[in-house]
Amino acid sequence: MAAATTSSSKRHSILPPAQSGPKPPVQFSSSITIADSAILIGTHPITISTESVIHPRARLDSLGGRITIGRRCIVHERSTVGAVGTEGGSRSKREEQPNGVTLGDYVTVEVNASIETGDTVVGEGTHVGVGSKIGGGAVVGKHCTLTPYTVVAAGETIPDYTVIYSNGLRRQDRRGVAELRNKGQARQIEVLKRMIPSNPSKFQ
Amino acid sequence: MSRRPPRGEYIETDTGNKVARKATLVGTQNIMLGGKTVIMPEAMIRGDLVRTLQPSPSSSGAPPNNTAVAIGRYCFLSRGCCLRPPGRLYKGLFTYMPLRLGDHVFVGPGSVVQAATVGNYVHIGAKVAIGEFAIIKDYVRILDDTVVPPNMVIPSFSIVAGQPARVIGEVPEGGHEAFELRELYKTVGNNPQPAPV
Amino acid sequence: MAPPFTPYTFIQCPCSDSSTFNRRSPPSTPTTHHFHSDNDDNDDDDDEHPFDPRAPRSNYSLFPLEYLLYCEDCHQIRCPRCVAEEIVTYYCPSCLFEVPSSNLKSEGNRCTRSCFQCPVCIGPLSVTSLESHPDPNLIPAPDNTSAAPHGGPYILICSHCAWSSTEVGIQFDKPNSIHAQLAKLRNGGNPRMTAKERKERRKDLAQSLGSSYSAASGSGYPSHFADELDLDLDLETQFSNLKLFYQSQLANANPGGGASGGSASGSGGAFGDLGFTSPTSLSRILNIYTSTSSQDKKAKSRIGTMREALDRDEGLKIANLDESEAIAKLHAEDHAGTVSTSQLLNQTPQLHLGEPHLHGRSRFASELRPIPYLLRTKRSKRCPICRHIISKPEAKVLTTRFRIRLVAGSYIPSITIRPLSLPNASTPDPSALRPSKPAQFVLTFKNPIFEPVKITLATPALTPGRFPSKVTVLCPQFDIDANTDVWDEALKDGDKRRKKGESMDSATGGNNGGQHQHQPAAGKIWERGRNWVSIVVEVVPASLRKPMPVVLKEDEDLLEIPMFVRIEWETDAMGDEVGAVLGKDRDLPKLKRELAYWCVLGLGRVSDQ
Amino acid sequence: MSSSASMLTGSAVHRSVANIRSPPAGGGGGGASSSQSSGPSTPMRPITSTFASPSSLRAEEETILIEFGTRKLLVGFAGDAAPRGAIWFGPEQQRRVGDFRAWQSDYHPDWRNAASGDQWGKDYELWRSDVRDLDLGLVGDKIERALRDAFTKYLLIDSRPRRVACVIPSGLSIPLLSVTLDSLFGRFQSPTVSLLSPPVSLAVGAGVRSALVINLGWAETVVTAVYEFREVQCNRSIRGGRMLTEQTHRFLAKHLPQNQKKPETEDHENSQEYVLSFEECEEITMRLAWCKAHPSSATTKPAEGLSTVEEHDESEERRASPETEQPGLATIPLKSTSPPVTLELPYDLLTEPCENTFFDSRHSPASFDDHELPLHLLVYRCLLQLPVDVRSMCMSRIIFAGGCANVLGLQGRIFDELSQILRERGWDPVTGKGLDKKREDLEQMKQKARARLASGGTTGPTSTTQPGAGEQDGVWHDAANVKPEVDPIEEQLKKRGDPTSQEQGELRAVESIGAWSGASIISHLKIAAVATVDRDLWQQQGAAGASKPGEVDSKMQQRQSLGAGGFMRGAGTGHNSWTLGTWGAY
């Protein structure tokens, strides 16, 4: 066994430069954790509230409208919040301060997931699974679970505590574990704080 | 990479690993490569997510504890795939655990692997999601778009597909050689050779 | 519909066309009366028609090369249909524990530890304490957070669809041996009596109620206690009651005792003359009245040995046709509350043995039971003819080694297909074939064995089916050199042309200079290497819309070529018994071997312009 | 004898095990202990030798029981309470080995093109009774693959030859039967195959010797009268599961948004082109289809003289409640339509397919052909054609079976319809003229009946004074009284002092554990099958070699039958005659 690259052991990672865009105005809570390889682009403001974590290579795109991320959210690597929708579900284009994406508290956006812009809302405690896609203007309720590669159509409304599984089937989450999940999220964030070198200043 | 001219698209290490410059490796000091492994552009490995709770002394045989991702020989990580250690609440505390890949593991484009262990001769198709702490044994073929739920155990010689994953067939006796990745290894890199007949 | 097309090859196992295993192949043109005629027209159906890969039956006889084995003694391909299997190991695919075959007899075909699948989404279930939560995904329902602080109670939860056994009202005291605990639990959590318990319960009940009990139960009026008992009479209990009842009937039919032979003969009669009845004839019944013919004397005495079950202990159960509750429930629960077909499929009858009234069925989500994992097996395979083992895995569950593994791939040439793209000609998407526009493909045959082989190919000029495409194999006959070690490839490369001169003179043209410049020509090999040869096949796809647009069946746009492959090679007599028998004389004659089979080449989809 | 001998050696290998588990089949007392010791999910099964031994003889001790249906196979071991697994037929099962396209998320089966004409859903059936356009070879392939899957996945047995018992539809035509036997003998090398008929198995599974078996199957509904374990009468109607699914499709199609505008005369057009996939229609049928209660049953309650009505009166009220109080809406998500829609229909409407399929009250009873009789008429006719005493036995032992028996309320509805007919017409094939005359006769019979009844004869508890009931009482008690004189069995049972069954002359439904489980008892107890076919004989002679049932002389037939008991080896030597039982009669 040998370390991946003898030389790169100084630089603790191989991070090719990411394409850049206009630098958006940001409002960060002091307690957030944001990797400096996260990608924030766009023209509308991006707000990240208390103790939320933005993983490396996570992409927040406010071109379509303002991005609001609640408390104790985790946005994983390679995910896109505010992607420009394929189906133009953005109903609030005219406004000068349109809402792009709003994540409630304790929302997790997993790897490769993408939430399209256009006044899209994801409710508290909802878990957006790996590779899932939420269309623009969709409203996902509280404490929902989207299993990997779930697709929520643009403009669709998902009631609270919905589980979307097996490629589109839906059922109600009767475990009633909302707050326990939130606790777990908090624990995870404690750990991530220590692991992910945060560099908010880079974006301010 | 210091030794090689910075021209090539790949960094070729002395153990024969071919790591694309466009690959994203976070926390390389915690990523162990067995050698002869190919990491294609836009592949991503989260070596920074190391386990925080150290194992009790009883559990031995583990390589240096700060290893987050261990990859065997002749593995092939396609474009846009992502390896990340699985995390869980353990006794009320959250910790990540190491992710181990065996030899001759093919990870298809866009797949996300958060397994605990992946055995030898495993083929993971494209856009596959492998849930946290899944255990995948040797000679397993996972078809495209499969979602392997967390904690699932997949025995050897299984053909797996579905959302969630289930065993839909057995790898036939004559199908073992198809898992070999030596030839594939030669076809990429800074001076790739054409695939043999 | 299909992703980017990759060419493929399927091989038809010779076992399937001729009626091997002295199987009278079933009549193909049906007649209800005369059979021999059927067999006749059946034969020509099997043998004389060219092989049609699109015929529905072909799907049952075609296999990818990896699925085929090879018997070294019969020198024949063996497919999954024609090998004889023997089980080496039983194990649970989830906990990977080996299960001794004796347990299999007693405990059935499923894992009896704690391995279950989700009844809703078939994902794996994991045991979780209601208190501690090992995984954010797996946090159980805290519906009774007042429970014991240490661990339990425990539940099963699905990490994919978030189903929890609390949804059917089931919890466990211990985190281990869930299977045993579940067996004692009914959905909703009520204890589920074992067969024995139920029996005893009924006994006392019967005694307490005296003789009136059986009378009442026999009558059409199910009295109150009878109802309450009915609730308990699940399929399994009724089954065992019935079995006991009949056994006792048989026993006192012949006082000889329970010797199986005796009771068999005695009881055999009881149903024995069923053979005579044709459903429509009432003559049988009349005969009973006038007991004249010999068989009816027998009938009397034998039928006399069985009477009818009279009460629940004997397995009689008055049906309760009142399903109003269920209907009400259906209206309440609606579509979401009912079980889907696939879920029902996974709920095998066994799971509901203990559920009263379900009688093996389940309709509502609340009736779903966790599914214990089906066990899996490691199996060795024998040649059905010579009984030699042709595949044998090691017994241990976790080892992947094989003691014997004779795969067809190491005996018959592999065929790989790639569209021929000449450097100048730019084919945008070779996999999309255009109607009546000729397309060329390179077939590469790779010889795995250590003797040179002679290959002869035959294809119908037109592919079978509604849309016949023209097929031309430019070089239907050629030799391939032996699969020698790599290091003397160089030497072989030199003498190759000289050696294979006679049949390959044309091929030399194919080899001088960079192969990719020359055009494909009839009788010419396209390319050759150490142990491989590639040739060119030209196809003219048919138009899918002639004479008029028609609805395509699935895969009808697929261009598949049936190809008959004959392989001939020589081996020295030594080394295999069959050879030794033939060539007794000592000067080691070369034995001619031949193998022939149909295969199917999937070239691509014909675009519907 | 031979088998029982080998059985002993077999169990002698692990004597200790044999003690705790099932004894050699047929052993009387042993069964009791075993049935107790066997845990809930572990039904008992005859002990067999270890799998490890390559000996092919050993494996025969274990009899495999297969129930053949149009849609699925039920497979398990004789002696188990329930089959180990069910294999359903479907298009996916007909793919080439190694073709996994169905699992690709971008794969959408284009059932639209496949479903032209009556192809719709055809891939989901093993066979059709009309064999003219049927590729029998394909049927054989389907059977073989299904069995192979079942053996590997559920039974976990290897391919050593085993004795097989089959539950096969009584009406199965010889070509289909011989294809089945070909697969079993040819591909699976079974030494013997015993054939059992569903009605008899169901009767055995209900603990009765006579019964009226109403098998609500997929292709058709078969009403069979079983008397003393014999099929004595059999009526069929095409009103079965397939028709129900078709009706459901028609029903859903009618309510699709795009079809709303069009006039009501859609039925023809709908039946031609399909707008919904078979799976979906079947799924909806299975989940949501239900059957209204008999309209009049609630009102006519007081006038009823039938004993079983009791269960039903209160059921009527309760059954009535859900519809009347809140006409709830059923949400029906449909995916196979383009675009996907979700229908919201009142539950009452959902009874429509069931009504049209099984009762078809829209047309007058006279307007039906024999093969398409509504079920209640079918059952009534079947009973009507029976001799009096057989009828009286059967009508009080009605067994509902088959997939459509799961349709909520259907069983009760048929039952009520039947009692309604009896209430109106009794057992009078003639309706209208001359009925009064008949009445009087029956009246007198009733008097006689009373007299005997008073003298403590066998009777059901209902001797009411309603004229309506009077008719039936007359007929039935008449039958009941003839019976003791003529029925040797009853006599004999009396001699042996066994309690005889008193239940007759009243409509009564009994619950059967099902054809498979019933057959499991039969073959586990080594009670002989309807017919037992020996491999060598079959492969020498084929179906042509089979004698017509009557022609076999009883002794030979006896030994043949006992083949299931282990005497087959001796008997199966070429030239003696053998039979396909009831199947040979077709």
Side-chain angles (χ1 to χ4, degrees), chain A residues 47-114:
Chain A
T47 310
I48 303 178
S49 318
T50 323
E51 294 194 35
S52 285
V53 176
I54 311 298
H55 275 260
R57 297 291 162 152
R59 179 186 178 90
L60 309 184
D61 180 342
S62 71
L63 277 169
R66 79 159 40 233
I67 302 292
T68 314
I69 294 179
R71 293 177 290 117
R72 288 188 173 160
C73 292
I74 303 181
V75 180
H76 284 272
E77 65 266 30
R78 291 277 176 84
S79 59
T80 310
V81 176
V84 180
T86 50
E87 315 127 56
S90 48
R91 23 186 158 99
S92 52
K93 270 278 184 282
R94 291 156 260 80
E95 311 165 22
E96 68 292 342
Q97 201 55 277
N99 275 332
V101 177
T102 311
L103 303 187
D105 301 345
Y106 293 101
V107 170
T108 306
V109 181
E110 273 284 0
V111 186
N112 290 355
S114 122

Side-chain angles (χ1 to χ4, degrees), chain C residues 359-436:
Chain C
H359 267 249
R361 319 158 198 146
S362 66
R363 175 185 309 276
F364 296 109
S366 57
E367 293 164 349
L368 289 171
R369 303 275 291 179
I371 306 161
Y373 267 91
L374 279 161
L375 297 179
R376 222 171 116 174
T377 54
K378 282 185 155 192
R379 3 189 84 206
S380 66
K381 298 178 179 166
R382 291 177 181 274
C383 171
I385 306 303
C386 65
R387 306 297 299 169
H388 281 83
I389 294 187
I390 50 182
S391 164
K392 187 176 183 61
E394 293 209 350
K396 298 237 307 303
V397 175
L398 292 177
T399 54
T400 57
R401 286 187 304 277
F402 276 68
R403 291 222 174 75
I404 303 170
R405 193 167 65 91
L406 309 179
V407 299
S410 42
Y411 295 90
I412 69 178
S414 62
I415 308 176
T416 50
I417 308 164
R418 70 166 199 274
L420 168 60
S421 51
L422 299 166
N424 42 19
S426 63
T427 39
D429 174 13
S431 69
L433 298 159
R434 263 154 225 69
S436 56

Side-chain angles (χ1 to χ4, degrees), chain C residues 214-253:
Chain C
S214 65
S217 65
S219 82
Y221 296 107
S223 49
H224 168 63
F225 60 83
D227 277 346
E228 169 223 86
L229 259 175
D230 249 350
L231 290 177
D232 249 1
L233 190 61
D234 54 45
L235 181 57
E236 186 186 29
T237 320
Q238 191 181 359
F239 178 85
S240 50
N241 290 357
L242 275 171
K243 190 152 69 173
L244 286 179
F245 165 66
Y246 285 118
Q247 276 167 341
S248 64
Q249 287 292 302
L250 297 180
N252 52 25

Side-chain angles (χ1 to χ4, degrees), chain D residues 74-118:
Chain D
L74 292 177
V75 186
F77 296 106
D80 282 6
R84 283 294 168 94
I87 300 274
W88 288 77
F89 295 102
E92 291 317 313
Q93 192 218 22
Q94 302 172 35
R95 295 202 181 283
R96 288 174 190 166
V97 169
D99 178 350
F100 295 120
R101 80 179 73 179
W103 293 99
Q104 289 162 353
S105 62
D106 59 354
Y107 171 73
H108 310 294
D110 59 346
W111 56 268
R112 247 168 255 275
N113 292 348
S116 52
D118 68 342

